[in-house]
Amino acid sequence: MTHQFPALSPEQKKALADIAQRIVASGKGILAADESVGTMGNRLQRINVENTEENRRAFREVLFSSDTSINQSIGGVIFFHETLYQKDSSGKPFPAVIKEKGIVVGIKLDKGTAPLAGTNGETTIQGLDGLAERCAQYKKDGADFAKWRAVLKITSTTPSQLAIQENANTLARYASICQQHGLVPIVEPEILPDGDHDLQRCQYVTEKVLAAVYKALNDHHVYLEGTLLKPNMVTAGHACSRKYTPQDVAIATVTTLLRTVPAAVPGICFLSGGQSEEEASLNLNAMNQCPLPKPWKLTFSYGRALQASALAAWLGKSENKKAAQEAFRKRAQINSLACRGQYVQSGKNDAAAMQSLFTASYTY
Amino acid sequence: MTHQHPALTAEQKKELSDIAQRIVAPGKGILAADESVGSMAKRLNQIGVENTEENRRLYRQILFSADSRVKKCIGGVIFFHETMYQKADDGTPFVQMIKDKGIVVGIKVDKGVVPLAGTDGETTTQGLDGLWERCAQYKKDGADFAKWRCVLKISEHTPSALAIMENANVLARYASICQQNGIVPIVEPEILPDGDHDLKRCQYVTEKVLAAVYKALSDHHIYLEGTLLKPNMVTPGHSCPTKYSPEEIAMATVTALRRTVPPAVPGVTFLSGGQSEEEASINLNAINTCPLVRPWALTFSYGRALQASALSAWRGQKDNAEAATEEFVKRAEVMAVALLG
């Protein structure tokens, strides 16, 4: 505990810090396009498209072949393993397509949840085995950051001490290994929105979870300036009868972060967690407008909340590509404005943007 | 772990947060005048003055007689128990004199260090017994904040995991009890400057210690907005052969804080830890001009570094009292200028 055995050289630290800064550069956020095969199945089913490798490739191509100016709003894209090795119609590998737009390539690394015996249905995350080798390979193949999602749930008896501590520990192990291989780890301790708990309860649990996460990162000698955080916003449970405004969500969320996230962390990229596209943008905007100090960037790492409209416009048909890209571009730009607290909601919003994207007990 | 049992009402939180903000208001810091009887012995010995209760009273009177110029630079004064109940020559209680200047009154509440068996000479700090009742009484008697000092030391094998964990825990218990009684706890995990370790080693240890402290405060449900932190600056050990500039000290210190101290903490009030008056203000100035983003106030809670000149000007002579007070005021003003960067 008393002697340092430096985990990273100054050059390694600089490389990591630079990558992190690029991802969350002013007005930019992350497109989470890392849905697993199973999850893509759910998405495609909603628009009556078959879940084939080609269809998954085709939809990602719709997003990735957007005009280069998308790089004003998107600083990073998270890939699923399959997608990292797919190509666009001209044969260009997707990582190259993204990099050429000056956007950073990321890779989802976790291997899903595993049960914690003796708990009330709680889980930890697997994926640490051989992770060092995988990271080294992904770095060679174009990735500069990674994502790992831990999941916690609020009920009358959860999250338990064990679940909090075990998930914090695996997040820290993952982060440590990533940094050793030049990958910026996005640390994602998601507390699901399932339940009827109120805003205060979510805030309390989120504070406890984040305190544990940052203690674990410290214990594991993780270089905070070379990480990003991907937390849930502090919201009431989906079944909570009381309604809260974006300002309520903003104050609760930022207060929580001020109490737990060191200023050394360059950026906080919220998950959308089943919020509709519009909700996710309004809440992010309210956070960036709220009067509390914000020593880190507050931005987005949205999957559903960036893609829903695009998916609805695409419907699996190549002739809809332009319309789908326009829907995506619009959403990306709105969220870019929200990062700066400059989003002004216009009168109309289409059905897709307003639709709740909540799925109970969401797994990727 | 899942249900909150709120430790404080909204009103209690507001009161604590307001007190903390007043203490570290822009341009202000803390005068640590809480030397125990034993510590005062050393100070008075250095100027050839006998360590009597009356001499201690006369000396504190010199500091507390400072005119309104100190209102702009001193946000709080930390008292020792004896001093809380002493009066000026004209019968005005010291607590009153300080409050009348719009300065917040604080009280040292720890009862010194005790050994941790099985360690290499490490300690924890005692004082938790009856602390609730003591806090309630001090609050009635005029105190709005408190101080508790834990001590850690850097050597080949220290600080150990036990020392870090135990001291962090005891600080959190103290903080919890204070807040229940309307008193803002200043949390002081001092890592001594003794030794020949370099700047990096001090930074590493400071980061580990502060991470443990803030985890303990979270575990104990402490309201961070109603606390202050009193850490050591990150410096090399006293016998380290390498010399570092104020900018290096500032960068190491602010980096360590940015990695561990949540932005919700309103202020960081550094201890001077044996630095000279000059060093203490130069380093504080460098800290306030460091190019990293600093989300908390960064100010002073100085004992020796604010009092040394006044003490040597006084030398125990009544005739020197005014000149000594003037020395203190000047020192306080210089220190406040250091805050502006």
Side-chain angles (χ1 to χ4, degrees), chain A residues 22-40:
Chain A
R22 278 170 51 211
I23 295 169
V24 297
S26 186
K28 300 190 192 188
I30 297 172
L31 165 64
D34 61 321
E35 297 85 355
S36 63
V37 172
T39 304
M40 272 315 283

Side-chain angles (χ1 to χ4, degrees), chain B:
Chain B
M1 181 58 76
T2 75
H3 286 273
Q4 186 175 21
H5 304 281
L8 300 164
T9 64
E11 292 74 28
Q12 284 176 302
K13 285 180 174 180
K14 183 172 196 316
E15 187 196 3
L16 289 167
S17 154
D18 285 350
I19 291 167
Q21 297 284 350
R22 278 169 52 210
I23 296 169
V24 296
K28 299 189 188 185
I30 297 173
L31 163 64
D34 62 319
E35 296 84 355
S36 62
V37 173
S39 294
M40 274 314 287
K42 290 186 223 153
R43 300 291 158 82
L44 298 177
N45 202 12
Q46 284 188 305
I47 54 165
V49 172
E50 204 191 338
N51 187 23
T52 62
E53 190 184 336
E54 176 59 9
N55 281 341
R56 294 192 293 274
R57 187 193 71 79
L58 285 171
Y59 175 61
R60 266 63 180 261
Q61 179 170 246
I62 283 171
L63 301 175
F64 301 165
S65 307
D67 60 44
S68 61
R69 280 176 291 167
V70 294
K71 284 168 94 138
K72 289 196 295 288
C73 24
I74 302 291
V77 174
I78 317 178
F79 281 64
F80 179 62
H81 176 89
E82 172 189 77
T83 322
M84 279 284 286
Y85 303 101
Q86 286 179 326
K87 304 178 167 79
D89 293 340
D90 67 2
T92 313
F94 281 158
V95 168
Q96 188 72 43
M97 287 173 80
I98 292 301
K99 282 190 171 235
D100 286 345
K101 296 189 218 302
I103 299 173
V104 188
V105 169
I107 176 71
K108 183 235 291 291
V109 297
D110 71 79
K111 293 191 170 183
V113 299
V114 290
L116 280 173
T119 66
D120 185 11
E122 294 180 290
T123 61
T124 181
T125 295
Q126 52 183 8
L128 291 178
D129 297 351
L131 182 58
W132 189 292
E133 289 77 11
R134 292 175 61 216
C135 281
Q137 188 63 50
Y138 284 134
K139 181 76 175 178
K140 279 207 197 94
D141 297 338
D144 285 312
F145 74 96
K147 191 210 86 173
W148 175 293
R149 177 174 175 260
C150 276
V151 184
L152 294 150
K153 194 160 149 172
I154 297 177
S155 70
E156 190 55 29
H157 301 290
T158 64
S160 65
L162 171 64
I164 293 176
M165 180 261 287
E166 165 61 22
N167 281 284
N169 192 59
V170 97
L171 278 166
R173 282 293 302 129
Y174 139 80
S176 172
I177 293 168
C178 280
Q179 292 196 326
Q180 290 300 299
N181 289 284
I183 289 185
V184 166
I186 296 189
V187 171
E188 181 177 354
E190 174 170 8
I191 300 160
L192 295 174
D194 304 43
D196 61 2
H197 53 272
D198 63 12
L199 188 70
K200 278 198 172 46
R201 182 98 184 279
C202 181
Q203 182 179 339
Y204 177 72
V205 171
T206 303
E207 286 178 18
K208 292 300 176 191
V209 168
L210 290 179
V213 167
Y214 282 96
K215 181 57 163 61
L217 294 183
S218 169
D219 290 344
H220 287 257
H221 316 301
I222 303 306
Y223 175 60
L224 292 186
E225 292 88 334
T227 66
L228 294 169
L229 178 70
K230 179 166 170 168
N232 49 284
M233 293 183 189
V234 173
T235 63
H238 273 191
S239 21
C240 178
T242 313
K243 293 303 159 209
Y244 298 87
S245 65
E247 288 71 32
E248 288 173 298
I249 284 170
M251 189 57 87
T253 302
V254 176
T255 299
L257 299 174
R258 277 166 53 80
R259 291 174 178 173
T260 55
V261 182
V265 174
V268 175
T269 62
F270 294 100
L271 57 94
S272 46
Q275 297 179 43
S276 68
E277 288 178 333
E278 197 56 23
E279 252 183 297
S281 77
I282 288 175
N283 286 336
L284 184 59
N285 186 57
I287 283 169
N288 277 287
T289 45
C290 165
L292 300 172
V293 170
R294 297 162 259 121
W296 349 252
L298 291 167
T299 180
F300 56 91
S301 175
Y302 288 168
R304 285 169 278 182
L306 274 177
Q307 300 177 47
S309 299
L311 203 57
S312 50
W314 178 49
R315 306 209 76 80
Q317 317 277 21
K318 215 177 175 65
D319 297 337
N320 295 341
E322 260 190 61
T325 302
E326 187 61 24
E327 279 302 313
F328 166 61
V329 173
K330 276 185 1 212
R331 238 323 117 182
E333 289 183 317
V334 165
M335 227 34 107
V337 169
L339 298 180
L340 302 173

